[in-house]
Amino acid sequence: MAAPNRKSRKLAADDSSSEPPRAQTQNDQVIEATFEGQNLESQDYAGIKLLLQQLFLKANIDLGQMTDMLIVQRGIGTVLKQSYNDSDDEETLEFIDESIVFAVASVINLTSHRESSCVKQFFQLLEEISLEHADKTIQDSLKGILQENNKLGLLINERFINIPAKISHNMLKATFQEMENIKKKDKSYDFDYLILISKTSKPKGEEDGDELYTNDEEVVFTKAADLTFDFSVENADTGLSGRWDDDDQQLVPYRRVNIVKAVKYKDIVDEINTLVN
């Protein structure tokens, strides 16, 4: 089911200090691209699910059901797609595929959907990885946060790796504004906590080595987190495998669970704006 009242807005990085967003073709030809934020619609199902798969990998979560949840929500969520106009030349138009979703930002109402299988699976995943990778203090705190009297949202902030963080800021800001609007009518969206899973990596063999965020802006969520812990996904299909040159330093992929009080979200978005500008 498509979200009503289709919205469309330019999200290209227009700062003169940054290069314009670019799209890479199958022939490695690079062309300048303008992106557009749109409502999530049924035609975006495959693209959204693909972005969720790069986050959750082989976790036992029904990502098809989770994708459907994102699409049928009314008034919340943005997908990033390549746009075109009448002035584009034929060569540019040839490489524009309107079915490709370059990024998605939204939130899943975990409390309202607590009885759905994918939400149950998500909660079970959190419990299992906390028992294996977090200390007792974090385990106890997590149990307290996940109890039913707290209203919880799963924040989704996924994109292709070559999409700039400035665009992500615009999408996260839009999600905040949409949550503010929707909770006036539906109090279940007046969340107590937001959960964000970040993709990170560390140099192989260096547990205390410098960590890298796939989405640079998510370091701000970690700084603001009331609870956070990491777990390795080295043995999952991460898309990071392949050939490594002798001079390259192999990275071990991780996931970082960030849980923040929802009242901090506006300040987080403001700080991301400072970070990317």
Side-chain angles (χ1 to χ4, degrees):
M1 177 177 176
N5 301 325
R6 182 181 181 86
K7 66 183 177 184
S8 176
R9 58 182 178 274
K10 299 295 183 183
L11 291 173
D14 54 5
D15 191 307
S16 60
S17 64
S18 62
E19 293 184 2
R22 295 175 180 268
Q24 190 164 355
T25 72
Q26 291 180 341
N27 297 324
D28 290 331
Q29 179 182 2
V30 177
I31 59 173
E32 291 189 4
T34 301
F35 296 108
E36 195 172 70
Q38 301 175 1
N39 280 354
L40 283 65
E41 300 193 11
S42 56
Q43 67 187 29
D44 303 321
Y45 176 91
I48 295 170
K49 185 178 179 182
L50 181 64
L51 289 170
L52 292 179
Q53 285 172 335
Q54 76 176 15
L55 176 65
F56 288 106
L57 302 174
K58 293 183 177 180
N60 181 32
I61 296 177
D62 186 343
L63 297 182
Q65 185 183 56
M66 187 173 284
T67 301
D68 284 332
M69 283 182 182
L70 290 168
I71 291 173
V72 301
Q73 286 186 121
R74 296 179 178 272
I76 190 166
T78 303
V79 289
L80 185 72
K81 305 183 80 171
Q82 192 174 350
S83 63
Y84 63 91
N85 53 56
D86 294 338
S87 64
D88 288 330
D89 57 34
E90 291 184 4
E91 186 176 17
T92 300
L93 292 173
E94 180 183 353
F95 295 112
I96 293 178
D97 186 343
E98 293 182 88
S99 69
I100 296 177
V101 176
F102 288 86
V104 59
S106 191
V107 63
I108 291 176
N109 192 325
L110 296 174
T111 301
S112 293
H113 296 292
R114 187 176 286 271
E115 296 306 312
S116 299
S117 60
C118 68
V119 173
K120 289 181 177 179
Q121 290 163 346
F122 176 71
F123 283 141
Q124 183 177 358
L125 175 66
L126 287 182
E127 181 180 357
E128 290 175 353
I129 60 178
S130 68
L131 289 174
E132 184 175 354
H133 300 280
D135 61 32
K136 185 65 165 56
T137 300
I138 290 178
Q139 292 171 16
D140 291 342
S141 296
L142 181 64
K143 287 180 182 179
I145 290 172
L146 297 184
Q147 62 187 345
E148 291 191 15
N149 63 327
N150 280 325
K151 287 176 284 187
L152 307 173
L154 173 60
L155 189 63
I156 303 296
N157 177 47
E158 283 303 305
R159 65 180 187 271
F160 285 179
I161 196 168
N162 59 338
I163 299 298
K166 181 177 290 189
I167 286 181
S168 179
H169 163 259
N170 291 340
M171 296 177 71
L172 289 169
K173 181 179 179 181
T175 301
F176 167 75
Q177 293 169 337
E178 289 162 344
M179 283 195 296
E180 288 296 294
N181 290 333
I182 201 170
K183 73 184 184 183
K184 295 174 183 177
K185 299 179 181 179
D186 186 345
K187 294 300 182 183
S188 70
Y189 281 86
D190 190 8
F191 298 119
D192 296 297
Y193 292 94
L194 293 172
I195 303 172
L196 175 76
I197 311 296
S198 294
K199 302 189 297 293
T200 65
S201 58
K202 298 178 183 178
K204 191 174 184 66
E206 299 181 24
E207 291 295 323
D208 297 325
D210 292 337
E211 62 188 3
L212 301 173
Y213 282 77
T214 302
N215 297 339
D216 292 339
E217 71 280 3
E218 292 180 1
V219 67
V220 181
F221 283 92
T222 298
K223 288 167 56 180
D226 295 88
L227 183 153
T228 182
F229 63 95
D230 298 343
F231 60 101
S232 171
V233 291
E234 184 177 14
N235 295 324
D237 181 9
T238 65
L240 295 177
S241 60
R243 296 181 179 178
W244 295 80
D245 294 336
D246 291 340
D247 294 335
D248 288 343
Q249 187 171 32
Q250 189 169 354
L251 299 176
V252 177
Y254 283 80
R255 294 296 181 266
R256 171 163 293 166
V257 178
N258 300 294
I259 302 182
V260 302
K261 289 186 174 68
V263 294
K264 296 180 180 180
Y265 187 32
K266 182 180 184 302
D267 289 339
I268 289 172
V269 173
D270 289 344
E271 186 171 345
I272 290 174
N273 184 45
T274 301
L275 178 69
V276 301
N277 285 293

